[in-house]
Amino acid sequence: MGIQITPSMLSADFANLEAEAARIAGADWLHVDVMDNHFVPNLTIGAPVVEALSKVARQPIDAHLMITEPDRWAPGYVEAGAQSVTFHIEAAQAPVRLAREIRAKGARASMALRPATPIEPYEDLLPELDMVLLMTVEPGFGGQAFLDVCLPKIRRTRELLDKHGGDIWLQVDGGVSADTIDRCAEAGADVFVAGSAVFGAADPDAMVAQLRSRAEQHAPSR
Ligand code: DX5
Ligand code: ZN
C-alpha cells in the first residue's frame, strides 16, 4: 500500500458528518476519534455515531479509541462498521487477544502509542497487527502543535516494520499539516491523520491532495 490520507472527523462539523465526509472525497479513510474522558480529558463520540456514519460515508472508517478498557469496547466498533480499529497499548489488558478478536471480526487491528511510550517493548506483537499509530501530540484534542520529539520513534518503528516484513502500515496522528508532513514521510510514516489542517482549509479535498502529494515526494524509496 502506498501513501494514505485519513482526515480526522474531530475537526469536522459534528452536525453534518455525512456532508463533511462528502467534502473529502479524495480521502482514503475517515479517522474517527473516540474519547471517553478517562483515558484522555475529552469526550467525543461512540459506536452509535460510527455506525450511522459508516452507513452514509463512501470511505471506510478508521476508529481511534482513546478509551480505557479497549478490551471490552473495541470489538463493538467492528460491529458498528469500522474497518480499522486502533486501541492504545497503554490501556489494553490483553493486546494479543484483543488484536486477534478485532481481526476475527473482520477489521484491521491497530495499536496506538502515546508520545512517551516506546515501541521496542512491543516488537514481538507486530505480526498480530495491521497498523501502528504513533501519536505526534498528546492525545485528547485536535489543533495541537506537532511534537518533533516523536520523529526518532517514527524512524525506529519504520526500521522494525521493515525488519519484520509484511505490510504493516505506520500512521502518524497529531499536528500533521503541509508544514510537518514532509518530515513524517521522510521518517517512514505512510498513513497520515490530519484534522485541523484538512477541515480548516478553504478546500478540504484540495488539502487532502496536497498532503498526499507532499508525502509521496518525501517518502523514502523502499
Ligand atoms: C488527537 C486525535 C487526533 C486529532 C488530530 O487526540 O487523536 O486524531 O483529531 O487533529 P490535528 O490534525 O488537528 O492535530
Ligand atoms: Zn486520532
Side-chain angles (χ1 to χ4, degrees), residues 8 31-33 64 66 133 135 173 193:
S8 167
H31 182 86
V32 174
D33 289 299
H64 176 194
M66 285 160 278
L133 183 166
M135 291 299 312
D173 182 8
V193 179

Side-chain angles (χ1 to χ4, degrees), residues 35-219:
M35 306 187 190
D36 66 351
N37 206 28
H38 292 277
F39 185 72
V40 289
N42 195 6
L43 183 66
T44 56
I45 56 177
V49 177
V50 167
E51 186 170 0
L53 184 58
S54 72
K55 286 182 181 151
V56 297
R58 291 176 54 193
Q59 307 92 331
I61 291 185
D62 165 35
H64 176 194
L65 308 184
M66 285 160 278
I67 61 173
T68 58
E69 298 193 86
D71 303 73
R72 177 176 173 194
W73 298 107
Y77 284 83
V78 186
E79 288 159 16
Q83 292 184 32
S84 175
V85 175
T86 299
F87 58 85
H88 268 266
I89 192 65
E90 303 89 349
Q93 295 293 318
V96 173
R97 186 172 63 207
L98 178 55
R100 289 183 181 182
E101 197 176 344
I102 292 168
R103 281 177 158 181
K105 283 186 172 291
R108 299 176 60 86
S110 161
M111 169 181 81
L113 277 61
R114 301 179 75 127
T117 305
I119 184 67
E120 285 78 8
Y122 306 108
E123 179 178 351
D124 291 346
L125 265 57
L126 295 177
E128 305 289 337
L129 300 167
D130 298 297
M131 184 168 80
V132 173
L133 183 166
L134 298 181
M135 291 299 312
T136 43
V137 298
E138 290 292 353
F141 301 93
Q144 302 181 76
F146 181 81
L147 296 174
D148 279 282
V149 71
C150 298
L151 285 168
K153 183 165 65 178
I154 301 174
R155 281 188 216 103
R156 293 197 307 273
T157 304
R158 168 49 60 199
E159 284 167 17
L160 287 179
L161 296 180
D162 288 350
K163 183 174 112 187
H164 282 265
D167 188 21
I168 305 174
W169 302 348
L170 178 51
Q171 185 177 52
V172 285
D173 182 8
V176 175
S177 69
D179 291 332
T180 58
I181 196 166
D182 299 4
R183 45 201 196 262
C184 293
E186 274 157 9
D190 54 9
V191 184
F192 302 85
V193 179
S196 50
V198 167
F199 286 101
D203 181 344
D205 206 38
M207 180 54 69
V208 169
Q210 186 191 147
L211 292 172
R212 185 190 307 285
S213 133
R214 295 196 80 105
E216 282 170 355
Q217 277 165 34
H218 290 268

